[in-house]
Structure formats: structure tokens, C-alpha cells
Amino acid sequence: MTGERSLSYLPQDRSFALFTDHLARQSVRGSVAELTGQDLRVARNWRSSVTEPWVLELGEEVEGYGTFRFPYGPFSMGVPEAGTFEIVTYGERILEVLPGFGQKPRGILGSLPGLPLEDAALRVERLAGPYSASHASAFLFATEAAAGTPLPSLEAHVRAVAQELQRVYNHLHVLARLAEAASQNVGQAQTHALAEDLLRLASRHFGHRWLFGALLPRGPSRHLEPSDRSGLARSLSGLGARFEALWELFQGSRTFVDRLQGTGRVTRSQAVMWGAVGPVLRASGVPWDDRLRDPSPPYRDLFLPLAHQSEGDALARTLVRVEEVRSSLLLLEQLLDRWPGGGTIDPAPAVAPGRGLARCEAPSGDLVWDVRVRDGKVLEAGFRSPSQANWPLFALACRQSVFTDFHFTLESFGLSFAETDG
Amino acid sequence: MPSWIGQAFRRGILTSRFPRAPASREEVPETSRPPVLPPGLERIAVLGRAADDCPTGAITADGLYHGRCIRCARCTRQGFTFGGRALANASRPEDLYSPGGGPLPERLGPAPLAGLGRSLQLFLVDAGSCLACNREVLALANPYYDAARLGITFVNSPHHADVLVVVGIPTRPILEPLRRAYEALPGPKAVLAIGACALEGGLFRGNPGTQAPLYETLPVDLFVPGCPPSPLDILAGVLTLAGRMKCLPGVPA
């Protein structure tokens, strides 16, 4: 449908991969302090930076007898999002996949400077709806770090609850999409139903199904009184039991397991070299999770089992996600049980000038926001999303696989185009 | 021995009774319904205060433009309340304007696909969304909403579709594919615009790279406001296009 146009995007895609590689390597190896804002600015301006010739030289062309480029997207129900793929193939085997970004340039990041923090946060949330709690939390933590405002522990607690709810939802969504790709229709329907249960819980307790505005001072009203919290805990434990019953069936389904095993493999060295984050990294034998390294409450005080696998294939990523559903439910249980007293629920707007950097473990990996504020307004902002870090890994994992593996690889990565086209 | 069938039976029937019965509060949550200004308040003063605070310009000194509302709940501090009627009947942008901030007049929307009987195929098109609308549209296939029971299914190609469901703010690179997708639909056809972004651009209107509003690019038949609208609002919109909504989607009991 968009053959010619996508081809002209080719060099940019490669350079994007290289940039994210460079950035992500730093963020995995380094600490918060080592990841400088300059790198984040590079990430933000990658579209203009692609004219740098050194980037283009590093790309290699896949050529050979009978190869052709198969354009896929931007509109397809298989990937219900606007993004294109150039698949280099000679018929069945995928030699190379080039994800095409830039199909939805909404100019969100560019519109942030000059906005009051609260207005900016509304836009940040809508960068990627299913990950809104992570984006809003990281953005707000960054503005609070910039202004030096001490954070009420209650607010940090509420953000953790919101993030864990969304993590469970997103992992279930990935599982449902995988079940759909493997034609496990009952499993798909039942998993989608579980995910819908979570959206309704979010709606009941945070006032919005997708938690838009729920973490902001003047958002929809929250319902987290003691009776609401015990109700939420009860609903979640019921949900956990239903999830276990469902997962037992998935495990027993040879169709499902066979389809995932060995599909879209990412080796440990690839994951480390290209800077994978989140479940992709943990499924490749690197036990890394931002929540475990969080020096601040509430994660510091909670018991968090770290899920990791070493195979690096779609099955390993799914197993990591399943473990994380369990650990998130465990975390939610602890969070709801140890509710901090007092504290104001409305954080004071940041007024002092400064610059802050904050990171969160979003459902698909490490998310970084870097914000400069002055007089309660955003001066400059940048982010590195887990999707930006993991897209190059997806392209690597697809090499030498076949067409039918494409969706299993894509869904098991849990990537989104929305997070790259800010 | 656990089995898929046993699992499905144990969960029982989850499916909504809509459109036979009004939607429940759980199915159409408060924040997916439009804000209204309750009677008895100082309208001019409240509208003035709320207009200053509204991040998208949905509230002006004269009234409320539902097409721009993103349900951020700020105006609830000024006296507005959530819980207006869930609308799926506006075929023109000006139908979504309520002078004075009160509830919109009730009327049935247009039904360009009334001749298609009980079968309706949807093709989802993402013009530049945050994915929340995408997932709410696709949620129609999950057991809670189960649009297939009403003959509504999703298809993989615009050539097989009756309705083009557009989510997200139109961005420049997507305009041409959008037009071509619309041309590929066989007639009779309709365009359903879902969410604040597809209506007027929501928070991102005027950003470089975007080309809101959608109705300047495609002939939109029906608008479903919300950020995002709940799946039942979307279902009501689809049924309206097919002329199968005999009454308006009711306010939950």
C-alpha cells in the first residue's frame, strides 16, 4: 500500500536502531547519574540527526537472488497500529525486518516546552495509553526531582499501585494476543476477559479505565479508602486464582507451547550489546529490573521476586510475563496492605527551577524521563521509552525466522509505535 | 483434568445485555460520559472559571463543545459533573455543541447502512492514536461485549468492510493511506470517528505533523466522543450507523 514511501524511510530506520542501541546500552550498564540528558536529547532529535553520514555507513544491505521487499502496513488488523514493516524475503524466510517509524508524528514532545506541568502531564499520559501510569509517574517523579519537592509517600504509593495494575493488564493483553496468534480461541477470549476485569477495577478505583489523569492533582476522584482497598485486594486475589487456572491450561496446550518455543530468539550477548530492556532482557538471562534498584519507597520496602529465564525465545518472554503477573499481584497485595498514613494526595506544583531525571519499570521495560522546569512550567523534556530500546532487538530476532513467526515475535516483545512517535 | 471447555463454563456468561437493556454503570463508567453543568448554578460565572481551566478549549464562556472534551475532570472542581448522556448520534461537529453547558438534545443519528441487515464488517484504522482507542474498539470482540452476537465482526482488509473505524489524530504521513483505505471500501460505506483525537484533535490539535480535524479529510458519518469512549459507546455508534438503535444509548440505571 505504501511501498514507495516506506522505502524512503529506510535509512532513518537503521539510524534509529543505532541511536537506541547506543542509548540503551548506557542505560542498562550505567546508573541514573551516568545517563546524561544530552543522550536523551539525541534520542529526541533522531529524526534530524539521521543526516549524519556516519550513521548511514554502518547500515548493511541484504541482497541476493530472488529477494524482494514486502511492505506491510500501515493499516493491518494483525498489527492494530499505524506503523509499517519492510520485510526483506525470498518467499518464506524473513531475511530482515525494517520497522518503519514516523507514521504517527503527533508532535507531543515538541509541544511540551512552555506548558504548565499539569497540562504537560495530560499530554505525556496520552503518548501511549496502555502505559499511561508509567509515563505519568516517571514524568511527575522527574518534575519533582527537578524542583526538589519532597514527595509524600502516599503519592508514591498510589503511583506504584497504578503502575502494577497496568503491568498486569498489559501482560495479560500480550498473552491474549499470543493466544490469538496460536488460534487458542477460548484462551484468547478468557484472557481478554481477565484484562477487561482489570480495566474495570482501574475505572472503579482510579476513575478512569486507562488511568488518564488519575495520578494528577486535579484528575478524576480516586476511591482508595480502607473499604475500597480491601475490595480491590479481594478482586485481585480472585483474578489471580482465575489467571492461574487459565495459565495451567495454556501450559498444557501443545499447540501454544510448541508455537512459542524457539521463536524469535534473542541471545544473551545480543540483549546486552543492543541494550534490551524489560521482559526481553530478563528472558535472555539478564536479571535486571528497575524496581529492584529503586532506592525510594515503596519498592524499597517490598518483597519482589525477580522473574528471569535464559532461553531468550518467545516462550521465555511469555514465562517472564506470567511470573511478573504473579509478582505484580503480590506487590499489589503488599501495597494495599501496608498503606501509609497521612500525607497529602495533591503534590505541590514544582516551582523552583531545575532539572530532574526519573526512571520507572514500565510494563515493557525501563522508561526514562528527563525534564527541565522553571516557574512551574516545562522548559525542556525528553524521554527514552522501552519500545525505542527494544525495536532493534525485534528486528534482530526476526532474522532467519519465517512469516508465520512474525506475529509471535512481535506480540511477545509487546512493542508499540506510539511510544516512538512522540 | 482441567479443560478449556470446563474453564469457559466455570466463568459463566459475561456478556453485556446491551442493546436489549440499558448499559450498567460498570459498563459505561462515569468518566466516559460527558460532563454537564447541573441546573441551578451561576452559569456565566462557572463557565468563565471552567473555560480558563479547560486544557483543550472544550469549555468556552458560552457553552461546552463535547467534541473537544478529553474527560480530564478539571471542570468538576468548578461545578460540572460527569454523567451526561453517552452520545453516539452526532453526524456533524456542531451537533456536539451545547450552549450553556447543559445536556445535548436527544435525537437519533443518521443510518447510512440501514439496508445492510444484521451483518456489519468493521475495519480499524489508526490515524495516530495513543492505543487506548484501538484497544477499546478491539474490546468489542471480548466476551464482555461480544459484538459478534450482533453480527458485527472485524475484517482484515478495507475491501471487505462496511465501516471504516478511525481512531487517533490524523497525521500528515497517514492522510494518503487514509484516503486510499476509504476508497477501497465498497459502497454503501460509512466512516465512524472514535475519540476526541479523531473528532477535533483533542490535546494535539495544531501540533506540527498533524492535520486535524478528520472531517476535513474524510466524510465522517458519525462521531463518538470520549477519551477514550467506552466499548459500549462505540458499539452504540456502530448500531446507529446500521439503523439498529431504536432508542438512544440509555444512561446507566
Side-chain angles (χ1 to χ4, degrees):
Chain A
M1 191 183 273
T2 57
E4 311 83 18
R5 202 160 46 76
S6 302
L7 274 174
S8 67
Y9 275 37
L10 186 68
Q12 295 190 354
D13 303 337
R14 287 180 182 282
S15 62
F16 181 38
L18 290 164
F19 272 124
T20 46
D21 153 41
H22 163 68
L23 294 169
R25 244 187 296 176
Q26 290 209 12
S27 67
V28 169
R29 287 185 185 156
S31 65
V32 176
E34 281 168 33
L35 180 69
T36 64
Q38 195 172 2
D39 293 327
L40 285 166
R41 269 199 299 282
V42 173
R44 195 165 67 244
N45 296 329
W46 65 271
R47 241 180 280 270
S48 59
S49 312
V50 290
T51 45
E52 300 285 327
W54 64 270
V55 175
L56 299 181
E57 279 167 22
L58 288 175
E60 74 206 69
E61 286 294 322
V62 177
E63 280 174 356
Y65 176 72
T67 58
F68 60 96
R69 285 166 192 278
F70 176 75
Y72 186 44
F75 301 148
S76 72
M77 290 300 281
V79 187
E81 196 180 357
T84 58
F85 296 94
E86 283 282 316
I87 302 174
V88 183
T89 176
Y90 53 79
E92 178 63 21
R93 204 159 283 280
I94 297 173
L95 300 174
E96 171 104 75
V97 171
L98 302 161
F101 306 96
Q103 297 294 314
K104 35 165 75 178
R106 291 163 293 162
I108 298 177
L109 210 45
S111 70
L112 296 184
L115 285 177
L117 292 178
E118 212 186 324
D119 287 5
L122 284 177
R123 285 161 175 81
V124 168
E125 282 174 340
R126 284 162 178 81
L127 200 71
Y131 315 117
S132 63
S134 305
H135 276 275
S137 303
F139 179 78
L140 292 172
F141 278 132
T143 57
E144 280 144 12
T149 348
L151 180 72
S153 66
L154 180 57
E155 199 56 35
H157 217 79
V158 170
R159 284 177 201 168
V161 172
Q163 283 189 62
E164 295 306 324
L165 277 178
Q166 245 176 15
R167 191 186 318 279
V168 177
Y169 164 76
N170 279 295
H171 285 352
L172 288 177
H173 181 82
V174 167
L175 187 62
R177 297 283 299 176
L178 286 169
E180 190 181 347
S183 305
Q184 301 286 301
N185 292 339
V186 182
Q188 175 214 346
Q190 295 290 324
T191 317
H192 269 313
L194 273 186
E196 175 73 21
D197 286 336
L198 270 160
L199 291 181
R200 290 185 179 191
L201 281 180
S203 167
R204 194 182 307 150
H205 293 279
F206 285 89
H208 198 283
R209 279 163 68 90
W210 301 88
L211 305 174
F212 288 167
L215 303 179
L216 302 185
R218 290 185 296 168
S221 49
R222 298 170 186 158
H223 302 282
L224 291 168
E225 297 309 306
S227 61
D228 300 322
R229 294 203 299 273
S230 60
L232 179 56
R234 258 199 315 281
S235 310
L236 285 171
S237 81
L239 198 135
R242 288 206 298 278
F243 172 73
E244 291 300 338
L246 206 55
W247 177 241
E248 200 185 332
L249 288 168
F250 272 119
Q251 268 183 319
S253 161
R254 278 190 67 172
T255 325
F256 184 71
V257 175
D258 279 358
R259 214 55 205 78
L260 295 179
Q261 204 158 22
T263 305
R265 198 181 289 273
V266 175
T267 62
R268 189 176 188 279
S269 63
Q270 276 175 332
V272 172
M273 194 178 85
W274 288 83
V277 296
V280 179
L281 182 67
R282 292 193 280 278
S284 299
V286 185
W288 172 284
D289 191 316
D290 277 348
R291 290 174 293 171
L292 282 175
R293 308 201 158 240
D294 195 350
S296 60
Y299 287 117
R300 186 187 60 189
D301 308 329
L302 301 175
F303 170 64
L304 168 65
L306 177 63
H308 74 111
Q309 295 278 328
S310 55
E311 291 300 310
D313 54 1
L315 182 64
R317 288 190 284 277
T318 310
L319 289 171
V320 165
R321 282 181 201 274
V322 167
E323 275 306 316
E324 283 185 25
V325 169
R326 291 179 182 138
S327 71
S328 286
L329 289 173
L330 188 64
L331 276 176
L332 280 164
E333 199 184 319
Q334 298 173 68
L335 283 164
L336 293 169
D337 188 42
R338 302 180 199 168
W339 202 256
T344 164
I345 206 129
D346 291 352
V351 176
R355 172 177 183 171
L357 195 137
R359 61 198 325 172
C360 279
E361 184 72 21
S364 44
D366 174 36
L367 168 73
V368 193
W369 267 93
D370 174 27
V371 188
R372 276 175 66 205
V373 295
R374 189 196 288 157
D375 302 332
K377 287 187 175 164
V378 178
L379 213 57
E380 217 183 341
F383 71 92
R384 208 289 320 276
S385 67
S387 294
Q388 283 173 325
N390 280 345
W391 270 117
L393 266 301
F394 165 72
L396 275 180
C398 270
R399 281 187 187 169
Q400 298 303 320
S401 65
V402 291
F403 273 154
T404 43
D405 288 344
F406 182 83
H407 278 110
F408 293 96
T409 314
L410 182 66
E411 298 301 344
S412 68
F413 268 72
L415 297 167
S416 81
F417 282 103
E419 275 187 321
T420 59
D421 284 347
Chain B
M1 181 65 191
S3 76
W4 287 113
I5 293 174
Q7 161 78 17
F9 274 115
R10 265 196 303 281
R11 282 260 18 217
I13 295 171
L14 303 171
T15 311
S16 163
R17 299 196 55 224
F18 184 83
R20 292 224 182 96
S24 72
R25 220 165 257 287
E26 191 87 309
E27 286 163 348
V28 184
E30 288 235 308
T31 41
S32 84
R33 286 151 60 202
V36 281
L37 193 51
L41 286 169
E42 279 287 335
R43 272 175 192 271
I44 294 168
V46 171
L47 278 172
R49 278 203 307 274
D52 290 341
D53 219 15
C54 184
T56 55
I59 301 173
T60 60
D62 307 320
L64 169 62
Y65 183 46
H66 289 267
R68 287 192 189 157
C69 178
I70 55 158
R71 317 283 195 261
C72 69
R74 277 194 207 174
C75 54
T76 55
R77 307 285 155 122
Q78 315 292 350
F80 275 83
T81 49
F82 275 134
R85 189 171 279 277
L87 295 153
N89 53 7
S91 55
R92 296 169 305 162
E94 53 266 34
D95 290 347
L96 288 164
Y97 182 73
S98 79
L104 286 168
E106 298 183 7
R107 60 175 169 268
L108 280 172
L113 302 182
L116 287 180
R118 295 189 57 79
S119 161
L120 211 57
Q121 270 72 44
L122 313 184
F123 183 67
L124 173 68
V125 158
D126 170 13
S129 78
C130 71
L131 295 185
C133 284
N134 304 33
R135 295 208 183 165
E136 293 290 39
V137 172
L138 294 178
L140 288 183
N142 83 28
Y144 276 100
Y145 304 106
D146 193 18
R149 79 201 143 103
L150 300 164
I152 297 164
T153 50
F154 292 98
V155 290
N156 293 326
S157 160
H159 293 287
H160 306 151
D162 305 309
V163 184
L164 195 66
V165 183
V166 187
V167 297
I169 181 168
T171 54
R172 297 235 163 87
I174 223 75
L175 286 179
E176 185 51 31
L178 206 54
R179 283 196 203 100
R180 283 166 69 177
Y182 178 71
E183 280 160 20
L185 254 70
K189 55 188 168 183
V191 177
L192 187 63
I194 305 286
C197 289
L199 264 68
E200 284 273 326
L203 279 168
F204 310 130
R205 191 163 45 107
N207 280 6
T210 63
Q211 187 94 46
L214 174 72
Y215 55 76
E216 288 178 358
T217 307
L218 292 183
V220 177
D221 291 275
L222 200 65
F223 296 103
V224 182
C227 188
S230 73
L232 283 191
D233 291 339
I234 298 167
L235 185 59
V238 177
L239 291 174
T240 305
L241 283 176
R244 285 162 63 186
M245 284 298 289
K246 297 296 174 232
C247 53
L248 290 170
V251 174

